[in-house]
Amino acid sequence: MDAIQVQGWIRTRRDSKDFSFVELNDGSSLKNLQVIARNSLPNYSDVQKLTTGAAICVRGALVASQGKGQKWELVAENIEIVGLADDSYPLQKKGHTPEFLREIAHLRPRSNLFGSVFRVRSRLAFAIHKFFQERGFVYVHTPIITGSDCEGAGELFRVSTIDLKNPPRKDNEIDYAKDFFARQTYLTVSGQLEAEAFACALSKVYTFGPTFRAENSNTSRHASEFWMIEPEMAFCDLNGDMDLAEEIVKYLVHDIRENCPDEMELFSKFVDKELPPRLDFVLERPFQRTTYTEAIELLKKSGEKFEFPVEYGLNLQSEHERWLTEKHFRCPVTVFNFPKEIKPFYMRLNDDNKTVTAMDLLVPGIGEIVGGSQREERLDVLQENMRRHKMDPADYKWYTDLRRYGTVPHAGFGLGFERMLMFVTGVSNIRDVIPFARTPGSAEF
Ligand code: 4AD
Ligand code: MG
């Protein structure tokens, strides 16, 4: 057999009588390659000093393994020592807690768990593009720096080059007309408004990029920088929007199970034993739908003691969302038609004049994974919504233009990429599905 060459990092090494066994991993898969280093190697004494974490390059012959646990092993003809690691290397063989590994986020991708999470993250991103491209959606790159607060929640990170010690002033206020963009700008919380412009030209579009929220909620489901997938469809109403959200969630679960079997096995063994039955359930059963008003009734009648109050007109809290999907419906559920007071300006007003065509898709274990709506396509109603939200329609001329020229019913949603990844892997903290998490008080690495 021809010699092959591999390179990677040593997971473990142990000595036997005439040779040394090296477990090598290059991150391409969960499985290690066993390397046999015979004592006839010219640098055998150096090989015997190699420790966990060291990088080597091995040339040798791949042979059927006699031992248990692997089909093949590599009998080394040459081992080049590329980079040593000493015994302060923090990823020793024993299992580490995710909390400890978070503190060494630069090394944790070398662990089985995080290597798996990030391979699945990559596949999930690919599957998202595949889903939309197969359905004729056009991928649009919406800007990261923007002047608008799409969600109207005021959770914006300012983008400015103004000297904080000596800002330009006008009438005792900071004069942002002198700032870099000659106006106030922020990191985007959502690409939706710009995606709407493209949907009203290319019909079916999607964005997939980073979004930013200066939201001071230190929970296991919130990050200050996260990725969002935002499809937007012209000639589409709320039902079509809910259909697409359900379809993509199922598609992604199916794709990851098909294409990442080793990783999924690891997650079900070491992260969440309930993962396989929960995902089976998602694939096999139709999702449920309920209006916000019905959901409030159900929660009130539940007899459950919640920390936060349940009242028409209040937002559903995570505990309420989880009761609905985990205890009541016992499957993913889409809640739709929310009171207009608790939703952003762009959502379409229903004929009852009280609710808007909002929808949230909730899944067991996480709660909200998708938030979306049909958009207000009627110019006068949109302008009225803006005023109600204390916005000046003049600041959004380009957005209202979309209602002036060839307006159409259109709808879309945002799927939280990390929340989807948490859902398919069973990993319960968002910090553990992002390579380098940004959360309030923390932006290391
Ligand atoms: O519900 P949200 O705020 O909706 C929007 O931003 C709309 N403009 C989307 C649209 O209609 N095009 O956010 C959408 C999703 C949520 O359902 C959640 O999955 C995720 O984004 N998300 C977060 N993920 C992680 N950390 C945060 N702080 C998140 N905030 C929202
Ligand atoms: Mg939402």
Side-chain angles (χ1 to χ4, degrees):
M1 185 182 276
D2 287 345
I4 62 159
Q5 184 167 310
V6 296
Q7 54 239 319
W9 293 268
I10 295 176
R11 285 296 178 83
T12 58
R13 194 190 58 77
R14 67 191 161 84
D15 288 323
S16 185
K17 196 163 159 275
D18 300 325
F19 43 81
S20 194
F21 289 109
V22 178
E23 290 288 330
L24 197 65
N25 193 294
D26 70 353
S28 60
S29 101
L30 186 58
K31 297 200 178 93
N32 300 329
L33 178 63
Q34 176 162 289
V35 175
I36 312 286
R38 296 208 173 107
N39 62 6
S40 51
L41 286 172
N43 60 347
Y44 190 65
S45 60
D46 291 333
V47 169
Q48 280 191 305
K49 288 184 209 129
L50 288 171
T51 54
T52 300
I56 57 172
C57 185
V58 185
R59 197 162 41 75
L62 202 58
V63 299
S65 174
Q66 320 277 294
K68 269 194 252 159
Q70 66 278 322
K71 268 196 192 143
W72 302 93
E73 58 194 19
L74 187 66
V75 178
E77 282 152 21
N78 183 65
I79 295 185
E80 183 195 338
I81 298 168
V82 181
L84 292 171
D86 63 23
D87 54 13
S88 66
Y89 183 63
L91 276 174
Q92 298 301 333
K93 175 101 176 130
K94 62 177 169 29
H96 298 289
T97 65
E99 289 75 19
F100 168 75
L101 290 167
R102 235 171 260 157
E103 290 167 18
I104 51 162
H106 57 306
L107 296 172
R108 70 178 181 171
R110 299 193 202 176
S111 68
N112 283 341
L113 174 64
F114 287 96
S116 298
V117 165
F118 295 118
R119 277 189 299 275
V120 172
R121 186 175 167 115
S122 167
R123 175 70 210 189
L124 190 65
F126 177 72
I128 283 160
H129 285 296
K130 194 159 165 283
F131 175 87
F132 287 114
Q133 298 288 332
E134 283 168 359
R135 285 160 183 75
F137 283 69
V138 177
Y139 179 31
V140 178
H141 297 113
T142 51
I144 286 174
I145 300 172
T146 166
S148 50
D149 178 6
C150 173
E151 295 306 293
E155 294 159 345
L156 301 159
F157 288 103
R158 184 181 294 285
V159 175
S160 170
T161 53
I162 281 179
D163 178 1
L164 290 178
K165 286 199 198 102
N166 185 23
R169 290 182 185 277
K170 193 179 170 191
D171 307 331
N172 253 334
E173 304 260 335
I174 293 178
D175 184 7
Y176 287 104
K178 299 227 169 63
D179 203 349
F180 191 88
F181 295 107
R183 56 168 300 157
Q184 302 199 54
T185 48
Y186 314 94
L187 294 179
T188 189
V189 296
S190 159
Q192 178 199 319
L193 304 186
E194 292 90 350
E196 283 185 53
F198 272 70
C200 293
L202 305 178
S203 292
K204 293 199 289 185
V205 301
Y206 69 106
T207 72
F208 183 9
T211 49
F212 307 86
R213 298 201 183 173
E215 183 181 7
N216 209 352
S217 38
N218 238 323
T219 79
S220 58
R221 307 172 317 131
H222 289 87
S224 314
E225 175 178 319
F226 63 98
W227 284 56
M228 205 181 348
I229 299 97
E230 297 184 90
E232 190 70 36
M233 296 169 284
F235 307 98
C236 180
D237 64 8
L238 185 68
N239 283 320
D241 201 34
M242 295 195 285
D243 290 346
L244 188 78
E246 294 174 357
E247 193 185 344
I248 192 171
V249 169
K250 285 199 177 202
Y251 179 97
L252 295 176
V253 168
H254 181 76
D255 182 278
I256 296 300
R257 291 196 103 177
E258 287 282 296
N259 293 292
C260 307
D262 292 349
E263 284 79 6
M264 291 310 283
E265 197 185 316
L266 175 112
F267 300 140
S268 17
K269 261 200 205 139
F270 299 112
V271 176
D272 183 355
K273 297 212 162 40
E274 293 304 306
L275 186 64
R278 188 162 66 240
L279 296 181
D280 282 340
F281 210 66
V282 166
L283 293 179
E284 285 157 16
R285 298 228 330 190
F287 291 10
Q288 301 289 310
R289 289 182 188 176
T290 178
T291 64
Y292 167 88
T293 309
E294 286 160 0
I296 292 291
E297 292 297 308
L298 290 170
L299 286 160
K300 277 191 163 168
K301 283 194 292 203
S302 68
E304 199 84 10
K305 274 215 158 53
F306 294 114
E307 191 187 332
F308 293 94
V310 175
E311 207 58 64
Y312 184 95
L314 296 182
N315 266 313
L316 294 181
Q317 300 294 327
S318 168
E319 54 172 348
H320 308 139
E321 296 175 345
R322 294 188 58 171
W323 181 83
L324 287 168
T325 73
E326 287 162 33
K327 298 262 172 67
H328 186 74
F329 291 103
R330 303 177 57 79
C331 69
V333 52
T334 308
V335 183
F336 63 99
N337 286 352
F338 286 70
K340 62 180 179 190
E341 289 78 14
I342 56 173
K343 290 292 176 186
F345 75 96
Y346 54 73
M347 294 190 179
R348 190 178 198 278
L349 188 64
N350 281 316
D351 291 343
D352 63 11
N353 244 316
K354 275 173 67 181
T355 59
V356 287
T357 52
M359 63 100 164
D360 281 355
L361 199 169
L362 318 175
V363 295
I366 295 175
E368 180 189 339
I369 194 165
V370 166
S373 72
Q374 186 175 335
R375 322 305 188 187
E376 185 53 75
E377 85 283 14
R378 297 162 296 185
L379 180 62
D380 52 335
V381 186
L382 179 67
Q383 288 171 328
E384 183 49 37
N385 286 355
M386 286 177 150
R387 281 189 280 270
R388 199 156 39 77
H389 282 87
K390 314 237 172 323
M391 297 162 66
D392 184 354
D395 291 342
Y396 290 84
K397 171 151 186 321
W398 70 266
Y399 186 72
T400 50
D401 268 359
L402 302 173
R403 279 72 180 168
R404 268 182 206 101
Y405 310 121
T407 190
V408 286
H410 60 287
F413 60 78
L415 166 64
F417 183 58
E418 284 77 15
R419 292 201 188 165
M420 187 67 214
L421 191 54
M422 290 165 73
F423 185 54
V424 290
T425 59
V427 170
S428 61
N429 197 309
I430 196 162
R431 293 166 181 80
D432 297 333
V433 296
I434 302 182
F436 298 102
R438 271 83 182 95
T439 51
S442 165
E444 226 195 315
F445 304 102

